[in-house]
Amino acid sequence: MSKKVHFIVALALLFSLVLGACATPTPAPVPTQEPAPTEVVVVEEPTVVVAEPELDLMALFTEFWASVPADKGYGTISAAKLNEQLAEKPVFMVDVREPAELEDKGYIAGAINIPVRGILQNLDKLPGLDEQIVIYCASGHRGSMAMMALRMLGYTNVVNLGGGTNGWAKAGLPLEKGVPAEAAAISTPIVADKALFDALDGFLSNLPADKGFYTVKSDKATEFIIEKSPFLVDVRSQAEWDKDGYIEGATLIPFPDFLTSLDKLPADKAAPILIYCASGHRGGMALMALRMMGYTDVTNLNGGLNAWKAAKLPVVGWVDWPATFAEFLTNLPADQGFYSVPSAKLNEMLAENPPFILDVREPAELEANGFITGAINLPIRDLLKNLDKLPAQDAKIVVVCASGHRGAYAMASLRLLGYTDVVNLGGGMNGWIKAELPVEKGAPVAPTAGTAPAVDATRLAYLDAYLTNLPTAGFGSVKAPDLNAEIGGGTVPFLLDVRRQTEWDEKGHIEGAVLVPVNDLPANLAQLPADKATPIVVICASGHRGAVAQMYLQSLGYTNVRNLNGGMNAWIAAELPVVK
């Protein structure tokens, strides 16, 4: 090879080296691998919890309260009314007592049994929302709460049996023995408000049987009050409070005003509260509302004030008049003329040591027939408004009327007010005149006012109302000829003869009369008509014992009682028929 060729080849090699040095180097190959998984971050939307709307219990209770007004018995039905309905057609009745109570006490025929704690879990065993349902328990407490729950759930025609089976039995109405057949499903329940259902069911299903379903019985009530010192709430009306009295220390919050008067209750919802009404019905509803609103220690008086009275516990502003009159009649002394004095004896007294003579006739009667010397005149209707015109309560007082009828009213009233030596003139002015004893003419001297004694205000109010409202015609008596005409016309009243057996035997009696001596009357009420509207005429010798017996019967609720004016003496004097 020539030098020229070697030079060209060398130059080419040199040029290629220079280019290689200036070029970008090629990277070495990398071994192939699986790609790493990509981490995916999921951003979640925030969870939105839609809360059930909170129950407005106050609004719900207020709506319920409006559905049970006073003029509809606060949602009750009486035993008599239910019995009438049952005689006409079947009534759907639910007994909410425990099965053992039914076995022990019996139940109303036709009822089904669903204990109160399970009532809302068995709505399929009840009829439709608008059909009549009568709930009952023993006293009215559990029944009131079951009725309240059903009404709040939309059942529009539910009532509670007032007084429960206790009231039913007291009315002499029948109870079946044993237990009824198991209730069957008859409907598909409609629950429009599940939250309300749950709240009501939660309350009822947790009622404690061992605590009387939140009640205390009257025989344990005084111990309960002493131990717990509860705030005592009376939910009856003002009229009931005034008429029937109240438990000492109670605060009156009438049921219609209860929900708007919660500020009268203790601010501490854990404070003990004892509620009562007349029978337990209104108290049960008030208790349920309070406990569901967070009051934790609320109790209802089982049987209400009626049960309290039946247990002979003290009541302010009330007198047990049937018991008071019963004691008075039982202890009327026969050896003292049953607190009467004959005309001859009074005439002797006037000569020796004149008593205070109180003439209770009308002024016109004194002007027409005269009066006994020294008497003052206070007509029977005004007598108790003028106690300041009478002597001291231990002074001897002789009451005078025409026949003995009004005088007996006055005698009994004054003795029941604490006057200890009051008697009635037997036979009245008629007997005095018949005995040809002296009579003054004109008008007696006006009585002198002094200071009225302190007497029991409750007794005074009742007795004054009784005397003030005596009927104008006969003052509650019937004359012998008029009674004979009634009997002859076929309108025969129940004739109650309150004389002694010896008088009955010696003087005879009116045909058809029933003999119950006045001292024995309280123990023999079973001999009287069961219907207290039955016309009754009371008979004694002169009208004295008959008038006192009449007052007693009227205190028991008999509404059509009259006294035979002048008694058997007047009947015999009129030559009317006598059976011997």
Side-chain angles (χ1 to χ4, degrees):
M1 180 181 300
S2 65
K3 290 183 179 178
K4 185 178 181 179
V5 172
H6 282 292
F7 176 76
I8 293 172
V9 171
L11 186 65
L13 288 172
L14 179 63
F15 183 73
S16 62
L17 289 172
V18 173
L19 289 175
C22 295
T24 301
T26 302
V30 178
T32 304
Q33 295 182 358
E34 288 289 331
T38 303
E39 182 177 353
V40 178
V41 179
V42 179
V43 180
E44 295 184 358
E45 291 291 329
T47 302
V48 178
V49 179
V50 180
E52 290 285 341
E54 186 174 341
L55 286 174
D56 186 346
L57 288 174
M58 180 58 77
L60 291 166
F61 290 140
T62 300
E63 182 180 359
F64 166 75
W65 245 244
S67 75
V68 287
D71 61 358
K72 293 185 178 179
Y74 304 101
T76 63
I77 184 172
S78 68
K81 182 64 175 176
L82 175 57
N83 191 48
E84 287 177 13
Q85 289 190 16
L86 289 171
E88 297 172 0
K89 63 179 182 179
V91 176
F92 194 91
M93 296 177 291
V94 184
D95 189 319
V96 296
R97 295 174 297 159
E98 298 300 299
E101 294 177 86
L102 280 72
E103 292 180 10
D104 181 38
K105 301 292 186 181
Y107 64 96
I108 302 174
I112 67 168
N113 177 220
I114 306 175
V116 68
R117 288 179 290 189
I119 186 74
L120 298 192
Q121 293 142 29
N122 288 277
L123 296 181
D124 60 331
K125 297 178 176 65
L126 304 184
L129 295 178
D130 297 321
E131 296 184 44
Q132 185 186 27
I133 300 173
V134 175
I135 305 286
Y136 72 84
C137 62
S139 64
H141 170 74
R142 281 170 284 178
S144 71
M145 295 187 293
M147 179 275 289
M148 180 172 170
L150 291 175
R151 281 193 179 230
M152 291 179 72
L153 289 175
Y155 289 83
T156 62
N157 195 6
V158 189
V159 291
N160 182 29
L161 176 60
T165 53
N166 293 344
W168 181 267
K170 187 177 180 181
L173 297 170
L175 290 168
E176 295 280 321
K177 293 296 184 182
V179 294
E182 185 176 348
I186 58 173
S187 67
T188 300
I190 300 173
V191 177
D193 189 332
K194 183 65 164 55
L196 176 59
F197 174 89
D198 290 341
L200 293 169
D201 183 51
F203 174 79
L204 294 181
S205 63
N206 287 290
L207 286 170
D210 61 343
K211 294 182 179 179
F213 304 93
Y214 295 136
T215 66
V216 60
K217 291 186 176 180
S218 55
D219 59 349
K220 301 290 185 183
T222 50
E223 179 183 333
F224 177 93
I225 291 172
I226 292 170
E227 180 183 331
K228 301 195 72 170
S229 298
F231 185 84
L232 196 56
V233 181
D234 188 324
V235 296
R236 297 171 305 146
S237 66
Q238 181 72 58
E240 291 173 287
W241 172 282
D242 295 339
K243 176 178 177 290
D244 299 321
Y246 55 92
I247 300 174
E248 186 174 6
T251 296
L252 178 65
I253 307 178
F255 183 81
D257 306 326
F258 188 74
L259 295 177
T260 58
S261 304
L262 298 183
D263 58 330
K264 294 183 179 180
L265 302 181
D268 180 4
K269 288 189 174 183
I273 297 173
L274 178 61
I275 300 177
Y276 72 88
C277 60
S279 66
H281 171 76
R282 282 169 283 178
M285 294 185 289
L287 173 142
M288 181 172 169
L290 288 184
R291 280 194 171 264
M292 290 185 69
M293 288 191 293
Y295 292 82
T296 59
D297 193 0
V298 188
T299 306
N300 187 24
L301 178 61
N302 193 297
L305 191 64
N306 293 343
W308 178 274
K309 288 178 176 179
K312 306 298 182 184
L313 295 169
V315 178
V316 179
W318 175 80
V319 175
D320 185 349
W321 283 111
T324 300
F325 275 119
E327 182 181 6
F328 187 75
L329 261 66
T330 301
N331 293 295
L332 279 173
D335 61 349
Q336 297 178 42
F338 305 96
Y339 294 137
S340 72
V341 60
S343 295
K345 179 64 177 176
L346 174 57
N347 193 46
E348 291 177 10
M349 293 164 62
L350 289 172
E352 299 169 358
N353 186 18
F356 186 91
I357 301 177
L358 170 64
D359 195 316
V360 295
R361 293 174 297 161
E362 298 299 301
E365 294 177 88
L366 278 73
E367 292 179 11
N369 300 310
F371 57 93
I372 298 173
T373 302
I376 70 158
N377 178 219
L378 293 173
I380 188 68
R381 293 191 186 91
D382 300 325
L383 172 60
L384 300 188
K385 300 176 182 65
N386 290 278
L387 295 181
D388 60 327
K389 298 178 178 65
L390 301 184
Q393 286 181 288
D394 60 353
K396 184 75 173 183
I397 300 175
V398 177
V399 185
V400 180
C401 67
S403 65
H405 171 71
R406 281 170 284 177
Y409 289 154
M411 177 278 296
S413 296
L414 290 174
R415 281 189 172 268
L416 289 168
L417 287 174
Y419 289 81
T420 59
D421 197 4
V422 186
V423 293
N424 182 27
L425 177 59
M429 279 301 292
N430 294 344
W432 182 268
I433 293 169
K434 187 177 179 181
E436 299 180 351
L437 294 169
V439 175
E440 289 278 330
K441 293 295 183 180
V445 175
T448 303
T451 302
V455 298
D456 185 287
T458 304
R459 289 190 173 211
L460 178 60
Y462 175 91
L463 293 166
D464 180 48
Y466 183 90
L467 298 182
T468 298
N469 291 294
L470 285 171
T472 302
F475 300 94
S477 71
V478 57
K479 292 184 177 180
D482 295 332
L483 176 59
N484 187 55
E486 287 182 27
I487 295 171
T491 306
V492 183
F494 183 87
L495 302 174
L496 174 64
D497 195 317
V498 296
R499 296 173 299 157
R500 289 171 288 178
Q501 183 71 52
T502 53
E503 295 173 277
W504 172 280
D505 295 338
E506 292 172 7
K507 298 289 186 179
H509 61 273
I510 301 173
E511 185 174 5
V514 174
L515 177 65
V516 183
V518 70
N519 296 128
D520 303 331
L521 182 57
N524 290 276
L525 296 178
Q527 296 190 47
L528 301 183
D531 182 359
K532 291 187 175 180
T534 302
I536 297 175
V537 172
V538 189
I539 304 161
C540 66
S542 66
H544 171 78
R545 283 168 285 176
V548 182
Q550 177 188 25
M551 294 178 79
Y552 172 51
L553 295 182
Q554 288 169 326
S555 78
L556 290 169
Y558 286 90
T559 58
N560 191 356
V561 187
R562 292 170 294 167
N563 183 29
L564 178 59
N565 193 296
M568 280 300 293
N569 294 343
W571 184 271
I572 293 169
E575 300 182 351
L576 296 171
V578 174
V579 176
K580 285 192 176 181

